[in-house]
Amino acid sequence: QLVESGGGLVQAGVSPRLSCALSGRALNDYAIGWFHQAPGKEREFLAAVNGIGSNQAYAAGANTRVTISRDNAKNMVYLQLNPLTPDDTAVYFCAARQGRYSTSVRDYDHWGQGTQVTVSS
């Protein structure tokens, strides 16, 4: 199970950190990805981390805008967002897949419910 938190209504320029709480067994076997979905658009990959947190992947251009990290002792994965603009308004999801991380939505088997981030100008 995955539960996201940390979203809400924020002003442009704020840098919130989103959290993804993990529960279940053998969590180190699961890669975690973060995605976002803006209104009227498809869900898009942002970043992913492997099971032990040693390797990360980012969407093209995203590595300057987000940072993914993982704390397996706390069963948490985080997404630090750099200063937001209204274009960053979206629902942000974390997802899990067993084995190696992927940048494809289709490859993830388990999804959280998402956390809405709304950026006001």
Side-chain angles (χ1 to χ4, degrees), residues 75-88:
N75 292 342
M76 297 292 293
V77 177
Y78 305 101
L79 188 71
Q80 178 67 53
L81 303 176
N82 283 347
L84 296 176
T85 72
D87 287 343
D88 294 311

Side-chain angles (χ1 to χ4, degrees), residues 4-7 15-21 32-36 44-49 56-59 62-63 65-71 76-82 84 91-94 115 117:
E4 303 93 337
S5 61
S15 299
R17 187 179 74 167
L18 305 182
S19 299
C20 176
I32 304 297
W34 278 99
F35 299 78
H36 69 170
E44 296 180 334
F45 171 75
L46 287 172
V49 62
Q56 301 84 33
Y58 292 92
N63 61 321
R65 306 192 63 244
V66 302
T67 303
I68 191 169
S69 61
R70 181 170 191 155
D71 185 345
M76 297 292 293
V77 177
Y78 305 101
L79 188 71
Q80 178 67 53
L81 303 176
N82 283 347
L84 296 176
V91 181
Y92 288 73
F93 299 89
C94 61
T115 185
V117 175

Side-chain angles (χ1 to χ4, degrees), residues 71-118:
D71 185 345
N72 281 345
K74 297 181 179 179
N75 292 342
M76 297 292 293
V77 177
Y78 305 101
L79 188 71
Q80 178 67 53
L81 303 176
N82 283 347
L84 296 176
T85 72
D87 287 343
D88 294 311
T89 293
V91 181
Y92 288 73
F93 299 89
C94 61
R97 72 182 302 268
Q98 197 163 13
R100 184 176 173 79
Y101 56 60
S102 171
T103 63
S104 174
V105 170
R106 294 190 300 267
D107 290 339
Y108 286 83
D109 305 306
H110 310 280
W111 290 83
Q113 82 288 349
T115 185
Q116 174 73 47
V117 175
T118 303

